[in-house]
Amino acid sequence: MDMSTQSKKADFHVDVQAMRERARKGLEDGAVTDTYRADRETVLRLLNDALATELVCVLRYKRHFFMARGMNAEPVAAEFAEHATEEQQHADRIAERIVQLGGEPDMNPANLAKRSHSEYVEASSLEDMIKENLVAERIAIDSYKQIVDYIGEDDPTTRRLMEEILAVEEEHADDLSDFLD
């Protein structure tokens, strides 16, 4: 540790009285304090887009779970069901964060397909279902990486949430690509 870092750490002081006064102001903003550095409207738009993406993925996975047929369908259908459950958990976490930031989760069915980064493709064969879900996971991976990069250090809670979801999306893509091998 260099001397300037040591000096900076030694000089660190929390103004508790000022923090208490700020906390009493803007109570209607809930978790969003004046130290929030991100553009909240942009973050809310990005989160609602991610929410739509997750909900479209839930619907696609559920359809594919029910429609999976063929000799090797059982393990693939089980994977579709597991992914649908995890995508719903992602959607719930994203919706919760939107509310924490003072926004409203857009779950209007008319808006989902417009906002979603991935598409709802029904697919007819088991192989096509796997491929369409893999395409959707790859899209989610790319878009969530961009969201993480955009948010950076300005909103660490949202960044961590999206990083955690991103890690699961990468696992999903890996699972699906294994079925294609």
Side-chain angles (χ1 to χ4, degrees), residues 40-56 90-91 93-99 101-108 111-118 143-144 147 151 158 161-162:
R40 188 164 30 152
E41 291 308 311
T42 300
V43 171
L44 288 170
R45 179 179 50 79
L46 294 172
L47 288 173
N48 265 309
D49 291 350
L51 176 61
T53 301
E54 294 296 324
L55 291 173
V56 166
H90 297 167
R93 292 179 68 200
I94 292 168
E96 181 179 28
R97 184 62 182 154
I98 289 168
V99 172
L101 292 175
E104 296 181 11
D106 182 358
M107 296 182 184
N108 183 329
N111 297 336
L112 293 181
K114 295 176 198 169
R115 295 189 79 112
S116 175
H117 295 167
S118 63
S143 63
Y144 295 174
I147 291 171
I151 292 172
T158 301
L161 168 66
M162 295 309 297

Side-chain angles (χ1 to χ4, degrees), residues 57-75:
C57 287
V58 169
L59 295 172
R60 188 186 52 259
Y61 272 125
K62 290 297 265 184
R63 175 184 167 78
H64 292 174
F65 165 72
F66 288 111
M67 296 303 296
R69 299 282 182 267
M71 198 178 314
N72 299 317
E74 192 173 313

